Amino acid sequence: MSTKIVIAGGFGAGKTTLVGSVSEIPPVTTEAVMTEASIAHDDVSSTPDKVTTTVAMDFGRLTLDEELIMYMFGTPGQARFWFMWDDLVRGAVGAVVVVDARRLADCFDAIDYFEKNQNIPYIIALNRFDGEREYTVEQIREAVEVGPDVPIIEFDARDRLSSGSVLKQLLKYTLSRPEQPELVG
């Protein structure tokens, strides 16, 4: 049996890194070199070492046990690629919104997307770069305006165990929710 989850979030938050850190196969990425043309669209001031960006999606796989395989689909973070999100999200059992606390505004659109698509449960994964703790989880919750029912987990996207804990938390959260009526449209 397989399940699909989505890894979403703002530009440079750690989505590709999360997928790559836990995937048991070499992750499929659509990383492209950032050019001077993208400078007008992408604020790299907080991520000066970032030289590539996802232009379509990331893909990874993780075998959870003998009977369950998780497929991970990472979304592009820039607004100009959001037209792909509906297709990437279709069929997902849940989503992780990766947040860089240094650039909270970059995650608002991803959170809004899942707030509007309430049939897809999501959690927030607060990517703590080098253990930075400028804000508490509750301060982040207030800033991004999500209720106490949405889990917020601190993690480091570069660390396999830490990223695996995020995915485990998403599955627990998804399974704990009451059965949602199937939408017909």
Side-chain angles (χ1 to χ4, degrees), residues 11-183:
F11 170 74
K15 301 174 300 293
T16 299
T17 303
L18 186 156
V19 171
S21 73
V22 295
S23 181
E24 65 193 19
I25 62 170
V28 176
T29 64
T30 58
E31 291 286 292
V33 174
M34 294 176 61
T35 64
E36 286 190 30
S38 70
I39 290 175
H41 301 283
D42 304 322
D43 178 10
V44 295
S45 59
S46 294
T47 56
D49 296 332
K50 187 166 179 57
V51 295
T52 62
T53 189
T54 301
V55 296
M57 69 172 200
D58 300 313
F59 174 80
R61 185 182 95 177
L62 182 62
T63 301
L64 300 173
D65 65 27
E66 294 174 355
E67 298 179 17
L68 183 60
I69 296 173
M70 176 188 294
Y71 294 106
M72 299 168 281
F73 289 81
T75 66
Q78 302 93 321
R80 65 185 181 276
F81 299 122
W82 287 343
F83 67 90
M84 293 183 247
W85 280 39
D86 288 339
D87 289 330
L88 289 172
V89 168
R90 188 173 296 114
V93 299
V96 174
V97 176
V98 180
V99 173
D100 178 350
R102 302 170 299 182
R103 298 175 292 125
L104 283 180
D106 291 354
C107 74
F108 292 161
D109 291 319
I111 291 171
D112 286 346
Y113 180 90
F114 292 106
E115 284 289 319
K116 290 175 184 165
N117 291 292
Q118 293 183 4
N119 58 326
I120 301 171
Y122 75 96
I123 65 172
I124 294 174
L126 187 55
N127 196 1
R128 294 289 191 185
F129 293 92
D130 300 320
E132 284 188 28
R133 288 193 57 95
E134 191 170 330
Y135 304 103
T136 67
V137 169
E138 286 312 310
Q139 288 172 318
I140 299 289
R141 181 180 303 286
E142 185 176 326
V144 298
E145 298 180 342
V146 296
D149 56 314
V150 176
I152 298 179
I153 297 109
E154 297 179 88
F155 86 118
D156 182 336
R158 300 166 295 185
D159 182 79
R160 180 178 176 85
L161 291 175
S162 186
S163 293
S165 293
V166 168
L167 301 179
K168 192 182 300 183
Q169 182 67 32
L170 173 64
L171 291 178
K172 285 180 183 177
Y173 177 64
T174 301
L175 293 171
S176 72
R177 290 172 41 97
E179 199 60 40
Q180 299 292 319
E182 191 169 323
L183 300 178

